[in-house]
Structure formats: structure tokens, C-alpha cells
Amino acid sequence: MPIRPAIIGNWKMNGSGKEVKLVSRFADFLDKHKIAADVMICPPATLIGRAGGAIKGSKLKIGAQNCHVAASGAYTGDVSASMLKDAGAKAVIVGHSERRAGYDETDKQVRQKAQAVIEQGLQSIICVGETRQQFNKGQTLQVVGRQLRGSIPSSATPQSTLIAYEPVWAIGSGRTPKPADILRTHAHLRKTLLKLHPKEGAKFKILYGGSVSAANASDILALENVNGALVGGASLSFKDFTTILRSV
Ligand code: PGA
């Protein structure tokens, strides 16, 4: 059975009330066109409720970008997986490199977050990726293999968990690895998943992320073991994101 791809938009810290309209336009687009992919937008937490409300009944899903490991408590400024679920999120991105780098998130914390997400019946989208320096030193496979083993909970299933390979140096830079490099890294992630989950390792979706654009999406999505994309900047543009959706 081929894996149904997933295209996920990560809005990062962008968007206010008026961008809810863009989410509605994506939902209308999905309902009008036959797109052979699961599609999700992860807006900032402040918009999850409004965006979800605006697209009720649509095929488009709404996700979140981060959560706290605990369900509730004295964690000023944080939001839990159960709160995101309550707001209408169906998935949570965990371990994005901007959080690993900016907030010193470790593999262990990422794993705990993913576990908290899965326990709520939501999907966890676990990000891994090497820095430019690690890429230059030829350490990519070693780094992403270690991150994946350390970040994926043992309870993860292909239904509950997606993996996103995002080279740190490709994010927001307009640069992407060569197709052969993406192919090699995704094959390594697949091999690692098969080792961790011999029965179901073949079924996990492995997304590519990092400067996915309207121009390069079809080439990247055609690569073996690339089961979708995590799209940052281009998911803030109707034209770019829908072009990416059409290229699935
Ligand atoms: P980008 O971001 O598509 O803007 O490079 C991807 C991401 O960080 O998820």
C-alpha cells in the first residue's frame, strides 16, 4: 500500500486574526480540488480555535507548533497538548530545530512532548535535522539517526507519529539539499524506523522540510521515502501553498 502523503504548513510566529481568511481559502481549495494528501495548517496557538471554527467540516486540519510536556500546572506562558486538543488541534509539531536551538530542547524533552501529544490522541510531528556544520562534516546520517532514536516514543505508531527531516541550514534559506542527499537521508531514517519498529517501520510518513517551494515541491515529493512536506514560508501564500498541493 503506498503511503498517503501529508503536506503540513508551519506558520511559525506569523499570522493574526485576518489570516484566518487564508486558512478558509485553503479549506475551500481542498474541498474543490482532488488532492491526494492529508493537509494541515499549524498556525500560532492564538489562531487554532478561530481557524478551526472557520473551517468546520472541511478536509483541512489544524495543528499546533509546540506544547509543554505536562498536562497542566504552574508553567506560566506554556500550553499543554490537552489544551491544544481542546482548542481544536489534531497534531502538534515537536522538536522543531528553532525550538531545539532557541530553547535548548533535548531529544529526551522532545520524546516526552511527543508522548504527551500521543496520549491526547493527537499526532506528533517529530522534527530532526543536521546543522550546516554537521552537513559539511558528513555527519548528517549519524545526527538524524541519533535524534530520531532519542526523540521517538516507544509507543509511536504510523498513525500517531510523523517524522519530518528538516536540515537546519535549509530552513528559510532558499537552499535545499541535492535530491541524492535527501534520498540518502530519508532512506537512513526509514532504516532506523524499521529497526525501532520492525512491523510498522515501513508505514511511518517521513516528510521533508526546509525551503520547500512551488518551484521545487514536485521534484522533492517524487523522491523515494519522501511522504510529504513540512512547509514554512510558502504556507503563508495562497498561490505557493496551493501550487505545492497540486504537485503532490
Ligand atoms: P521553510 O520552513 O519552508 O520556510 O524553510 C520550514 C520549517 O521550518 O518547518
Side-chain angles (χ1 to χ4, degrees), residues 111-132:
R111 188 173 71 242
Q112 289 171 336
K113 289 184 179 198
Q115 184 66 41
V117 170
I118 294 169
E119 277 166 15
Q120 288 303 319
L122 304 180
Q123 283 186 317
S124 64
I125 303 159
I126 302 175
C127 302
V128 299
E130 84 286 3
T131 62
R132 176 94 229 174

Side-chain angles (χ1 to χ4, degrees), residues 8 40-43 48 61-67 81 84-85 88-94 117 121-125 159-160 162:
I8 300 176
M40 184 180 292
I41 291 288
C42 300
I48 290 172
K61 300 275 180 284
I62 301 296
Q65 301 171 14
N66 176 46
C67 69
L84 295 168
K85 179 184 182 178
K90 304 291 182 217
V92 184
I93 298 171
V94 294
V117 170
L122 304 180
Q123 283 186 317
S124 64
I125 303 159
Q159 292 73 41
S160 75
L162 286 73

Side-chain angles (χ1 to χ4, degrees), residues 8-10 12 93 96-98 127 166-167 170-175 208-213 230-235:
I8 300 176
N10 170 16
K12 311 192 180 189
I93 298 171
H96 190 282
S97 66
E98 284 153 17
C127 302
E166 297 204 308
I171 295 174
S173 66
R175 288 182 304 180
Y208 170 80
S211 294
V212 173
S213 67
L230 184 52
V231 184
S235 69

Side-chain angles (χ1 to χ4, degrees), residues 125-146:
I125 303 159
I126 302 175
C127 302
V128 299
E130 84 286 3
T131 62
R132 176 94 229 174
Q133 206 184 18
Q134 290 164 333
F135 175 80
N136 287 342
K137 284 192 191 155
Q139 296 171 339
T140 300
L141 302 188
Q142 193 189 329
V143 169
V144 300
R146 188 181 61 225

